[in-house]
């Protein structure tokens, strides 16, 4: 990578770190650690991307993610694992490269890909029109469904009942976008992670959480007294985000993904995590 690109990447990194510090400061971090889903929270210090830049080492491919999203990505024994991490490792293997995973805020993922800090983002990320303005997406490798988590015995029985209620979401996710559109910005509380949003729900700070179905199941399993509304809010496709100009990588990733899907490897990995 040319020197000027490195400097640009470093500046972006500094800006991203500043954003992270600011947004962390805004996030409510209650002292009592009420039942987070097991092993989903990154250890302190793992949230900031290491100052490696994608392409710095020709044989290393850098993936960025937000590892508080089980079963797609979560931290176990200090390591990022899950469906996305495993599929990414298989893709890297096919490309003859070593995979390196950087954990960061969800809202930092697309900027990281655009600036070249990461080669790709894989984070249970939904393909949508707005994101397609900024990055390209691979073919889809999974389906996600936005669902509503509520406390057991809640008077919320339908999507309509969410009107006027406080809704917790993870910042910059599609759940955040839809909830803001449908129920009004003033009714939506944004949290840095899905885990933080669910924690707020268990503490009665919000009435419901809108999040993807598989993480929702993991959070409900890990926290007493929560349940998922049977109505699905939105159905979406997950794909890998790659910089617009990096069409070479997009082609390679799509080719690798097609083989992994055909060979049943993707299904095998998904089945390992989703019963
Ligand atoms: N599918 C949703 C979106 O793309 C949420 C993804 C959140 N992923 C994460 N790793 N925290 O907006």
């Amino acid at each position: 990578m040319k020197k000027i690109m490195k400097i640009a990447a470093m500046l972006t990194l500094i800006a991203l770190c500043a954003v992270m510090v600011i947004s962390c400061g805004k996030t409510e971090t209650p002292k009592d650690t009420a039942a987070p889903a097991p092993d989903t929270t990154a250890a302190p210090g793992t949230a900031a991307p290491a100052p490696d830049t994608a392409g710095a080492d020709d044989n290393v491919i850098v993936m960025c993610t937000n590892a508080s999203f089980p079963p797609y990505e979560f931290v176990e024994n200090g390591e990022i694992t899950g469906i996305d991490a495993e599929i990414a490792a298989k893709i890297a293997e096919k490309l003859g490269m070593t995979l390196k995973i950087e954990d960061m805020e969800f809202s930092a993922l697309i900027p990281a890909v655009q600036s070249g800090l990461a080669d790709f983002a894989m984070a249970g990320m939904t393909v949508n029109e707005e994101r397609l303005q900024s990055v390209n997406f691979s073919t889809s490798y999974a389906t996600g469904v936005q669902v509503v988590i509520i406390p057991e015995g809640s008077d919320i029985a339908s999507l309509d009942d969410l009107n006027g209620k406080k809704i917790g979401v993870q910042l910059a996710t599609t759940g955040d976008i839809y909830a803001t559109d449908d129920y009004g910005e003033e009714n939506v509380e944004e949290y840095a992670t899905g885990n933080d949003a669910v924690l707020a729900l268990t503490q009665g700070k919000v009435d419901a959480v809108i999040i993807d179905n598989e993480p929702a199941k993991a959070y409900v399993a890990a926290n007493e007294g929560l349940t998922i509304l049977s109505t699905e809010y939105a159905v979406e496709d997950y794909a890998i985000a790659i910089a617009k100009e990096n069409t070479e990588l997009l082609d390679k990733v799509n080719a690798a993904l097609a083989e992994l899907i055909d060979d049943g490897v993707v299904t095998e990995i998904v089945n390992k995590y989703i019963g």
Side-chain angles (χ1 to χ4, degrees):
M1 190 185 288
K2 290 200 201 78
K3 198 166 196 178
I4 209 144
M5 285 285 288
K6 269 193 182 161
I7 294 166
M10 284 309 292
L11 286 176
T12 316
L13 173 70
I14 291 163
L16 280 175
C17 289
V19 169
M20 271 187 273
V21 169
I22 292 162
S23 56
C24 284
K26 274 201 299 198
T27 310
E28 289 178 58
T29 329
K31 270 164 257 93
D32 42 329
T33 50
D39 299 317
T40 59
T41 317
T46 56
D52 294 274
T53 50
D57 177 341
D58 279 351
N59 218 35
V60 172
I61 187 156
V62 181
M63 156 179 161
C64 59
T65 194
N66 172 252
S68 178
F69 199 69
Y72 290 95
E73 42 268 330
F74 53 99
V75 177
E76 193 172 61
N77 304 323
E79 256 184 58
I80 297 170
T81 184
I83 294 171
D84 288 345
E86 288 208 25
I87 294 176
K90 292 286 182 193
I91 292 173
E93 200 181 301
K94 286 206 179 281
L95 268 51
M97 300 179 89
T98 307
L99 179 70
K100 187 168 193 300
I101 306 180
E102 303 282 7
D103 190 12
M104 59 185 75
E105 301 251 315
F106 187 78
S107 58
L109 297 175
I110 287 183
V113 168
Q114 285 181 297
S115 68
L117 269 177
D119 294 298
F120 65 94
M122 198 167 180
M125 190 182 277
T126 302
V127 181
N128 72 11
E129 281 309 315
E130 200 194 322
R131 291 172 185 166
L132 277 166
Q133 308 285 311
S134 315
V135 288
N136 282 332
F137 279 102
S138 70
T139 38
S140 177
Y141 62 90
T143 302
V145 182
Q146 294 296 313
V147 296
V148 183
I149 310 178
I150 46 171
E152 275 167 8
S154 160
D155 60 354
I156 299 168
S158 70
L159 294 174
D160 274 351
D161 294 341
L162 285 172
N163 281 300
K165 299 283 188 189
K166 276 267 169 277
I167 303 167
V169 295
Q170 180 179 17
L171 176 69
T173 58
T174 48
D176 186 6
I177 299 164
Y178 305 147
T180 304
D181 281 354
D182 292 346
Y183 302 102
E185 197 180 352
E186 67 282 7
N187 293 313
V188 177
E189 292 290 333
E190 295 166 320
Y191 295 89
T193 64
N195 200 54
D196 289 345
V198 172
L199 187 61
L201 182 63
T202 63
Q203 295 170 334
K205 292 178 182 164
V206 294
D207 302 304
V209 166
I210 296 181
I211 197 162
D212 306 50
N213 57 335
E214 290 304 330
K217 284 189 222 161
Y219 289 132
V220 166
N223 290 277
E224 292 266 301
L226 298 181
T227 182
I228 299 172
L229 210 63
S230 57
T231 320
E232 295 179 345
Y233 186 39
V235 179
E236 329 182 293
D237 290 323
Y238 291 169
I240 301 169
I242 298 173
K244 282 251 180 239
E245 58 278 14
N246 204 351
T247 52
E248 194 189 328
L249 181 63
L250 180 69
D251 292 344
K252 284 185 186 168
V253 166
N254 275 337
L257 206 49
E259 283 176 22
L260 293 168
I261 291 170
D262 284 351
D263 297 351
V265 175
V266 167
T267 308
E268 210 173 282
I269 293 171
V270 169
N271 288 345
K272 186 173 147 189
Y273 290 90
I274 302 174

